[in-house]
Amino acid sequence: MISKWMTKKSFLVVISFVLTMALFVYASESSPSRQSSSVSIQTTSNTIGNVPIYVDMDNQLYTVTGLPESVTLRVEGTSSSLLAVAGNASYRVKTPNLNELGTGKHTILLQVTGLPAGVKGTVSPETVEIFIENKATIELPVSVNVNRANLPGAYKNGQAIVTPSRVSISGPESLINQVENVLANVTVPENTKADFTSSVVVQAMDATGRPLAVKVEPDHVQVRVPITTNSKKVPLVFTTTGSAGTQYSYQLKSDVKEVTILGAQEILDRLTAIPVVVDVSQLTKTTTQVVKITLPTGVDSVNPENISVEVIVTSTTTQTTETTQTTQTTQTTRQ
């Protein structure tokens, strides 16, 4: 009887339902353990400083001011994805297409591109107020300002020679309109006594002498400064000092009659001659001396520095004796 009932279709359906429910209950009870065994995914963040800004703009037509030199970028993602960011700097902080904005004042939103999938980037500052102007370019000659404070008094600088002599200045139209001249400042090195050449920075200046934030090409020029001397030829005036006795007289002779002196121009203009003083206090016979030229105050050098002077010594006693003998001879002849 029982075996006959178990073969009925309704009995099989009931048994199948009971087994299904049992499996469902088992699965529900075991799922928490499976969930607890799964690995949770955690996110982290990192801050990257000094990120440059790529400016999306035609630099031949426009200039932009107001952009910071760099920004800070905060990235969020998994540890592995942030390692990918650090190892491959393919990301970029950029402006929108500024050509589409045109000239004038605008507030723009900085964008981040090139980050790996799953990494979020935040720029600080994110919004920036900028000013777009038409770009202008002019060409001007370079003026040179020479600081000669280190030159010795005997030396002076000539007209500086600049290579190249003209430069190109470009920038915002409002600043280009303010350019008054282009200046290269040169300081003569200490104790310079010959021509020198230096590479000098070039600056565009306004009418008040203030440097302007424009681009100068080239930004350095070669400046050659000729160095010459302030020189003058002056005669020598010979005099003696001292004496070996009243019975001696002295005469000075030299082949050198004038010398060349170097010094500040205002000093040279006042000098008309240089005295040469020869000490004859020990001389009793004709001799030749080498005399060093004494530099007048304010004179840096003299050429030649030393000269030969012949000191002709004559004894007055000898002259008197010869005169007496001549007189006596003349009288004897007359008698």
Side-chain angles (χ1 to χ4, degrees):
M1 180 73 180
I2 295 175
S3 58
K4 185 178 180 180
W5 179 78
M6 291 179 63
T7 59
K8 290 185 177 181
K9 184 177 180 180
S10 59
F11 175 77
L12 295 175
V13 171
V14 171
I15 291 299
S16 299
F17 176 75
V18 172
L19 292 175
T20 301
M21 292 301 295
L23 289 174
F24 176 77
V25 171
Y26 174 78
S28 299
E29 290 177 350
S30 62
S31 61
S33 62
R34 290 201 305 270
Q35 290 175 356
S36 62
S37 64
S38 63
V39 179
S40 61
I41 300 175
Q42 296 182 345
T43 62
T44 184
S45 64
N46 189 22
T47 301
I48 306 171
N50 299 319
V51 179
I53 300 173
Y54 172 77
V55 182
D56 187 0
M57 182 184 69
D58 188 341
N59 293 320
Q60 299 300 316
L61 298 178
Y62 302 106
T63 65
V64 59
T65 55
L67 285 172
E69 292 185 1
S70 61
V71 294
T72 299
L73 176 62
R74 185 173 183 269
V75 290
E76 296 178 75
T78 63
S79 298
S80 59
S81 63
L82 294 191
L83 286 175
V85 173
N88 182 17
S90 59
Y91 59 87
R92 174 183 286 178
V93 175
K94 58 178 292 187
T95 67
N97 189 337
L98 301 185
N99 298 326
E100 298 176 354
L101 299 180
T103 60
K105 184 181 293 185
H106 307 277
T107 299
I108 62 171
L109 182 68
L110 297 178
Q111 308 163 350
V112 186
T113 62
L115 290 175
V119 177
K120 177 186 177 183
T122 305
V123 182
S124 179
E126 190 173 25
T127 59
V128 180
E129 188 175 89
I130 62 171
F131 191 78
I132 302 174
E133 290 187 72
N134 289 320
K135 183 177 182 179
T137 302
I138 59 174
E139 188 178 280
L140 290 175
V142 179
S143 301
V144 180
N145 177 37
V146 180
N147 181 353
R148 62 175 306 276
N150 292 329
L151 275 177
Y155 294 84
K156 62 183 178 181
N157 60 281
Q159 182 67 40
I161 302 169
V162 187
T163 306
S165 60
R166 298 177 70 87
V167 293
S168 174
I169 307 103
S170 59
E173 194 172 40
S174 60
L175 290 181
I176 294 299
N177 291 336
Q178 299 178 45
V179 176
E180 186 70 17
N181 66 348
V182 180
L183 188 62
N185 289 304
V186 181
T187 298
V188 177
E190 191 171 355
N191 293 323
T192 298
K193 297 181 178 179
D195 298 359
F196 80 98
T197 301
S198 179
S199 178
V200 185
V201 175
V202 182
Q203 290 182 308
M205 318 293 284
D206 66 9
T208 66
R210 179 176 60 93
L212 295 168
V214 293
K215 185 176 182 180
V216 181
E217 292 183 302
D219 58 358
H220 282 68
V221 294
Q222 292 291 113
V223 179
R224 180 175 177 270
V225 181
I227 303 297
T228 58
T229 57
N230 299 312
S231 62
K232 182 180 180 180
K233 288 184 179 294
V234 291
L236 299 175
V237 177
F238 296 91
T239 58
T240 61
T241 182
S243 175
T246 58
Q247 70 272 31
Y248 297 104
S249 63
Y250 304 94
Q251 181 184 4
L252 305 178
K253 294 178 62 177
S254 177
D255 293 335
V256 180
K257 302 296 189 296
E258 63 180 13
V259 291
T260 301
I261 55 176
L262 306 179
Q265 192 59 52
E266 58 271 19
I267 300 297
L268 301 186
D269 291 341
R270 294 198 297 265
L271 287 174
T272 57
I274 292 182
V276 178
V277 181
V278 181
D279 186 359
V280 297
S281 58
Q282 303 297 321
L283 300 183
T284 59
K285 62 180 180 179
T286 298
T287 187
T288 298
Q289 291 189 2
V290 176
V291 181
K292 182 177 179 63
I293 305 295
T294 301
L295 292 179
T297 302
V299 174
D300 293 330
S301 63
V302 61
N303 185 38
E305 296 180 349
N306 301 287
I307 62 171
S308 295
V309 180
E310 183 183 16
V311 184
I312 302 173
V313 181
T314 304
S315 173
T316 56
T317 302
T318 301
Q319 289 179 343
T320 302
T321 301
E322 291 177 352
T323 301
T324 302
Q325 291 176 349
T326 301
T327 302
Q328 290 176 348
T329 302
T330 301
Q331 290 177 351
T332 301
T333 302
R334 288 177 180 177
Q335 293 176 354

mmCIF file of all heavy atoms in Angstrom, residues 278-309:
data_model
loop_
_atom_site.group_PDB
_atom_site.id
_atom_site.type_symbol
_atom_site.label_atom_id
_atom_site.label_comp_id
_atom_site.label_asym_id
_atom_site.label_seq_id
_atom_site.Cartn_x
_atom_site.Cartn_y
_atom_site.Cartn_z
ATOM 1 N N VAL A 278 117.441 116.831 -9.406
ATOM 2 C CA VAL A 278 118.641 115.999 -9.309
ATOM 3 C C VAL A 278 119.469 116.467 -8.120
ATOM 4 O O VAL A 278 119.798 117.664 -8.004
ATOM 5 C CB VAL A 278 119.481 116.081 -10.595
ATOM 6 C CG1 VAL A 278 120.721 115.192 -10.494
ATOM 7 C CG2 VAL A 278 118.643 115.689 -11.812
ATOM 8 N N ASP A 279 119.822 115.532 -7.241
ATOM 9 C CA ASP A 279 120.635 115.841 -6.056
ATOM 10 C C ASP A 279 122.113 115.843 -6.459
ATOM 11 O O ASP A 279 122.656 114.823 -6.895
ATOM 12 C CB ASP A 279 120.374 114.798 -4.981
ATOM 13 C CG ASP A 279 121.071 115.140 -3.667
ATOM 14 O OD1 ASP A 279 121.767 116.176 -3.609
ATOM 15 O OD2 ASP A 279 120.905 114.368 -2.703
ATOM 16 N N VAL A 280 122.780 117.007 -6.316
ATOM 17 C CA VAL A 280 124.192 117.150 -6.722
ATOM 18 C C VAL A 280 125.091 117.425 -5.515
ATOM 19 O O VAL A 280 126.238 117.846 -5.688
ATOM 20 C CB VAL A 280 124.335 118.278 -7.755
ATOM 21 C CG1 VAL A 280 123.574 117.950 -9.022
ATOM 22 C CG2 VAL A 280 123.885 119.621 -7.180
ATOM 23 N N SER A 281 124.572 117.175 -4.325
ATOM 24 C CA SER A 281 125.316 117.547 -3.119
ATOM 25 C C SER A 281 126.632 116.789 -2.959
ATOM 26 O O SER A 281 127.525 117.257 -2.267
ATOM 27 C CB SER A 281 124.435 117.329 -1.879
ATOM 28 O OG SER A 281 124.015 115.977 -1.803
ATOM 29 N N GLN A 282 126.792 115.647 -3.601
ATOM 30 C CA GLN A 282 128.028 114.865 -3.472
ATOM 31 C C GLN A 282 128.879 114.879 -4.738
ATOM 32 O O GLN A 282 129.899 114.186 -4.798
ATOM 33 C CB GLN A 282 127.662 113.415 -3.132
ATOM 34 C CG GLN A 282 126.822 113.239 -1.880
ATOM 35 C CD GLN A 282 127.555 113.699 -0.635
ATOM 36 O OE1 GLN A 282 128.772 113.485 -0.496
ATOM 37 N NE2 GLN A 282 126.831 114.353 0.269
ATOM 38 N N LEU A 283 128.463 115.661 -5.715
ATOM 39 C CA LEU A 283 129.148 115.612 -7.009
ATOM 40 C C LEU A 283 130.207 116.697 -7.132
ATOM 41 O O LEU A 283 129.941 117.877 -6.924
ATOM 42 C CB LEU A 283 128.125 115.756 -8.134
ATOM 43 C CG LEU A 283 127.016 114.690 -8.193
ATOM 44 C CD1 LEU A 283 126.131 114.924 -9.397
ATOM 45 C CD2 LEU A 283 127.622 113.288 -8.231
ATOM 46 N N THR A 284 131.436 116.255 -7.489
ATOM 47 C CA THR A 284 132.545 117.192 -7.725
ATOM 48 C C THR A 284 133.111 117.048 -9.131
ATOM 49 O O THR A 284 134.058 117.749 -9.491
ATOM 50 C CB THR A 284 133.666 116.961 -6.701
ATOM 51 O OG1 THR A 284 134.125 115.603 -6.820
ATOM 52 C CG2 THR A 284 133.186 117.229 -5.286
ATOM 53 N N LYS A 285 132.545 116.150 -9.900
ATOM 54 C CA LYS A 285 132.976 115.990 -11.282
ATOM 55 C C LYS A 285 131.784 115.547 -12.115
ATOM 56 O O LYS A 285 130.777 115.057 -11.602
ATOM 57 C CB LYS A 285 134.117 114.987 -11.402
ATOM 58 C CG LYS A 285 133.753 113.592 -10.950
ATOM 59 C CD LYS A 285 134.957 112.653 -11.110
ATOM 60 C CE LYS A 285 134.595 111.233 -10.654
ATOM 61 N NZ LYS A 285 135.751 110.318 -10.822
ATOM 62 N N THR A 286 131.911 115.736 -13.407
ATOM 63 C CA THR A 286 130.812 115.413 -14.329
ATOM 64 C C THR A 286 130.490 113.923 -14.262
ATOM 65 O O THR A 286 131.388 113.082 -14.254
ATOM 66 C CB THR A 286 131.199 115.795 -15.756
ATOM 67 O OG1 THR A 286 131.417 117.204 -15.811
ATOM 68 C CG2 THR A 286 130.102 115.416 -16.741
ATOM 69 N N THR A 287 129.178 113.624 -14.209
ATOM 70 C CA THR A 287 128.724 112.232 -14.108
ATOM 71 C C THR A 287 127.329 112.108 -14.709
ATOM 72 O O THR A 287 126.674 113.110 -15.013
ATOM 73 C CB THR A 287 128.690 111.759 -12.644
ATOM 74 O OG1 THR A 287 128.396 110.363 -12.606
ATOM 75 C CG2 THR A 287 127.638 112.519 -11.852
ATOM 76 N N THR A 288 126.877 110.863 -14.897
ATOM 77 C CA THR A 288 125.526 110.594 -15.410
ATOM 78 C C THR A 288 124.737 109.825 -14.355
ATOM 79 O O THR A 288 125.243 108.838 -13.804
ATOM 80 C CB THR A 288 125.579 109.776 -16.710
ATOM 81 O OG1 THR A 288 126.273 110.540 -17.704
ATOM 82 C CG2 THR A 288 124.167 109.468 -17.213
ATOM 83 N N GLN A 289 123.520 110.287 -14.112
ATOM 84 C CA GLN A 289 122.660 109.647 -13.114
ATOM 85 C C GLN A 289 121.371 109.147 -13.772
ATOM 86 O O GLN A 289 120.895 109.754 -14.736
ATOM 87 C CB GLN A 289 122.299 110.622 -11.993
ATOM 88 C CG GLN A 289 123.441 110.996 -11.090
ATOM 89 C CD GLN A 289 122.948 111.786 -9.895
ATOM 90 O OE1 GLN A 289 121.755 112.021 -9.721
ATOM 91 N NE2 GLN A 289 123.888 112.222 -9.052
ATOM 92 N N VAL A 290 120.826 108.051 -13.199
ATOM 93 C CA VAL A 290 119.505 107.572 -13.591
ATOM 94 C C VAL A 290 118.518 108.100 -12.552
ATOM 95 O O VAL A 290 118.641 107.804 -11.360
ATOM 96 C CB VAL A 290 119.449 106.036 -13.665
ATOM 97 C CG1 VAL A 290 118.030 105.579 -13.972
ATOM 98 C CG2 VAL A 290 120.430 105.538 -14.726
ATOM 99 N N VAL A 291 117.579 108.890 -13.038
ATOM 100 C CA VAL A 291 116.638 109.553 -12.133
ATOM 101 C C VAL A 291 115.241 108.990 -12.354
ATOM 102 O O VAL A 291 114.783 108.857 -13.494
ATOM 103 C CB VAL A 291 116.637 111.078 -12.381
ATOM 104 C CG1 VAL A 291 115.666 111.769 -11.428
ATOM 105 C CG2 VAL A 291 118.044 111.640 -12.218
ATOM 106 N N LYS A 292 114.566 108.665 -11.245
ATOM 107 C CA LYS A 292 113.183 108.179 -11.318
ATOM 108 C C LYS A 292 112.242 109.383 -11.309
ATOM 109 O O LYS A 292 112.352 110.270 -10.462
ATOM 110 C CB LYS A 292 112.868 107.269 -10.130
ATOM 111 C CG LYS A 292 111.454 106.683 -10.149
ATOM 112 C CD LYS A 292 111.248 105.732 -8.986
ATOM 113 C CE LYS A 292 109.829 105.170 -8.982
ATOM 114 N NZ LYS A 292 109.542 104.372 -10.191
ATOM 115 N N ILE A 293 111.293 109.376 -12.271
ATOM 116 C CA ILE A 293 110.336 110.474 -12.360
ATOM 117 C C ILE A 293 109.339 110.373 -11.200
ATOM 118 O O ILE A 293 108.745 109.317 -10.982
ATOM 119 C CB ILE A 293 109.574 110.460 -13.699
ATOM 120 C CG1 ILE A 293 110.557 110.473 -14.878
ATOM 121 C CG2 ILE A 293 108.595 111.612 -13.776
ATOM 122 C CD1 ILE A 293 111.374 111.722 -14.973
ATOM 123 N N THR A 294 109.184 111.449 -10.467
ATOM 124 C CA THR A 294 108.212 111.489 -9.371
ATOM 125 C C THR A 294 106.829 111.803 -9.940
ATOM 126 O O THR A 294 106.656 112.817 -10.641
ATOM 127 C CB THR A 294 108.600 112.541 -8.329
ATOM 128 O OG1 THR A 294 109.903 112.233 -7.812
ATOM 129 C CG2 THR A 294 107.594 112.560 -7.187
ATOM 130 N N LEU A 295 105.850 110.925 -9.630
ATOM 131 C CA LEU A 295 104.505 111.120 -10.170
ATOM 132 C C LEU A 295 103.788 112.247 -9.427
ATOM 133 O O LEU A 295 103.714 112.240 -8.193
ATOM 134 C CB LEU A 295 103.681 109.835 -10.023
ATOM 135 C CG LEU A 295 104.095 108.633 -10.873
ATOM 136 C CD1 LEU A 295 103.175 107.453 -10.579
ATOM 137 C CD2 LEU A 295 104.049 108.980 -12.349
ATOM 138 N N PRO A 296 103.251 113.201 -10.166
ATOM 139 C CA PRO A 296 102.422 114.220 -9.518
ATOM 140 C C PRO A 296 101.159 113.584 -8.926
ATOM 141 O O PRO A 296 100.725 112.516 -9.357
ATOM 142 C CB PRO A 296 102.080 115.175 -10.669
ATOM 143 C CG PRO A 296 103.090 114.896 -11.738
ATOM 144 C CD PRO A 296 103.424 113.450 -11.607
ATOM 145 N N THR A 297 100.558 114.230 -7.961
ATOM 146 C CA THR A 297 99.338 113.724 -7.334
ATOM 147 C C THR A 297 98.222 113.554 -8.377
ATOM 148 O O THR A 297 97.958 114.461 -9.160
ATOM 149 C CB THR A 297 98.866 114.685 -6.234
ATOM 150 O OG1 THR A 297 99.904 114.831 -5.275
ATOM 151 C CG2 THR A 297 97.615 114.146 -5.544
ATOM 152 N N GLY A 298 97.632 112.382 -8.377
ATOM 153 C CA GLY A 298 96.530 112.109 -9.301
ATOM 154 C C GLY A 298 96.967 111.462 -10.593
ATOM 155 O O GLY A 298 96.117 111.022 -11.384
ATOM 156 N N VAL A 299 98.263 111.361 -10.847
ATOM 157 C CA VAL A 299 98.774 110.719 -12.055
ATOM 158 C C VAL A 299 99.043 109.251 -11.743
ATOM 159 O O VAL A 299 99.700 108.928 -10.749
ATOM 160 C CB VAL A 299 100.054 111.410 -12.555
ATOM 161 C CG1 VAL A 299 100.663 110.631 -13.721
ATOM 162 C CG2 VAL A 299 99.746 112.833 -12.977
ATOM 163 N N ASP A 300 98.524 108.350 -12.578
ATOM 164 C CA ASP A 300 98.651 106.911 -12.331
ATOM 165 C C ASP A 300 99.975 106.334 -12.795
ATOM 166 O O ASP A 300 100.527 105.440 -12.157
ATOM 167 C CB ASP A 300 97.510 106.147 -13.020
ATOM 168 C CG ASP A 300 96.160 106.462 -12.401
ATOM 169 O OD1 ASP A 300 96.129 106.750 -11.194
ATOM 170 O OD2 ASP A 300 95.147 106.433 -13.123
ATOM 171 N N SER A 301 100.486 106.813 -13.912
ATOM 172 C CA SER A 301 101.739 106.261 -14.416
ATOM 173 C C SER A 301 102.399 107.263 -15.353
ATOM 174 O O SER A 301 101.772 108.214 -15.833
ATOM 175 C CB SER A 301 101.513 104.943 -15.149
ATOM 176 O OG SER A 301 100.711 105.134 -16.300
ATOM 177 N N VAL A 302 103.687 107.026 -15.599
ATOM 178 C CA VAL A 302 104.456 107.872 -16.495
ATOM 179 C C VAL A 302 105.348 106.984 -17.346
ATOM 180 O O VAL A 302 105.804 105.928 -16.896
ATOM 181 C CB VAL A 302 105.302 108.891 -15.693
ATOM 182 C CG1 VAL A 302 106.299 108.180 -14.770
ATOM 183 C CG2 VAL A 302 106.032 109.851 -16.631
ATOM 184 N N ASN A 303 105.574 107.399 -18.576
ATOM 185 C CA ASN A 303 106.428 106.642 -19.484
ATOM 186 C C ASN A 303 107.352 107.606 -20.230
ATOM 187 O O ASN A 303 106.874 108.533 -20.896
ATOM 188 C CB ASN A 303 105.583 105.848 -20.476
ATOM 189 C CG ASN A 303 106.426 104.957 -21.369
ATOM 190 O OD1 ASN A 303 107.403 104.364 -20.933
ATOM 191 N ND2 ASN A 303 106.048 104.875 -22.628
ATOM 192 N N PRO A 304 108.693 107.434 -20.087
ATOM 193 C CA PRO A 304 109.371 106.411 -19.277
ATOM 194 C C PRO A 304 109.356 106.773 -17.789
ATOM 195 O O PRO A 304 109.161 107.927 -17.425
ATOM 196 C CB PRO A 304 110.788 106.421 -19.843
ATOM 197 C CG PRO A 304 110.986 107.825 -20.315
ATOM 198 C CD PRO A 304 109.662 108.266 -20.854
ATOM 199 N N GLU A 305 109.595 105.752 -16.950
ATOM 200 C CA GLU A 305 109.609 105.982 -15.510
ATOM 201 C C GLU A 305 110.958 106.504 -15.034
ATOM 202 O O GLU A 305 111.026 107.231 -14.031
ATOM 203 C CB GLU A 305 109.277 104.684 -14.763
ATOM 204 C CG GLU A 305 107.873 104.151 -15.036
ATOM 205 C CD GLU A 305 107.603 102.878 -14.277
ATOM 206 O OE1 GLU A 305 108.566 102.300 -13.709
ATOM 207 O OE2 GLU A 305 106.434 102.456 -14.224
ATOM 208 N N ASN A 306 112.010 106.119 -15.737
ATOM 209 C CA ASN A 306 113.373 106.538 -15.364
ATOM 210 C C ASN A 306 114.067 107.145 -16.581
ATOM 211 O O ASN A 306 113.856 106.683 -17.712
ATOM 212 C CB ASN A 306 114.192 105.348 -14.855
ATOM 213 C CG ASN A 306 113.554 104.678 -13.653
ATOM 214 O OD1 ASN A 306 113.576 105.222 -12.554
ATOM 215 N ND2 ASN A 306 112.982 103.495 -13.859
ATOM 216 N N ILE A 307 114.878 108.172 -16.350
ATOM 217 C CA ILE A 307 115.633 108.806 -17.437
ATOM 218 C C ILE A 307 117.086 109.006 -17.000
ATOM 219 O O ILE A 307 117.390 109.061 -15.800
ATOM 220 C CB ILE A 307 115.026 110.166 -17.844
ATOM 221 C CG1 ILE A 307 115.070 111.136 -16.663
ATOM 222 C CG2 ILE A 307 113.606 109.992 -18.343
ATOM 223 C CD1 ILE A 307 114.689 112.553 -17.029
ATOM 224 N N SER A 308 117.952 109.090 -17.980
ATOM 225 C CA SER A 308 119.366 109.365 -17.712
ATOM 226 C C SER A 308 119.613 110.865 -17.811
ATOM 227 O O SER A 308 119.200 111.511 -18.785
ATOM 228 C CB SER A 308 120.268 108.625 -18.707
ATOM 229 O OG SER A 308 120.152 107.226 -18.536
ATOM 230 N N VAL A 309 120.302 111.411 -16.797
ATOM 231 C CA VAL A 309 120.609 112.841 -16.756
ATOM 232 C C VAL A 309 122.106 113.017 -16.588
ATOM 233 O O VAL A 309 122.716 112.458 -15.654
ATOM 234 C CB VAL A 309 119.866 113.550 -15.603
ATOM 235 C CG1 VAL A 309 120.213 115.032 -15.578
ATOM 236 C CG2 VAL A 309 118.358 113.350 -15.737
#
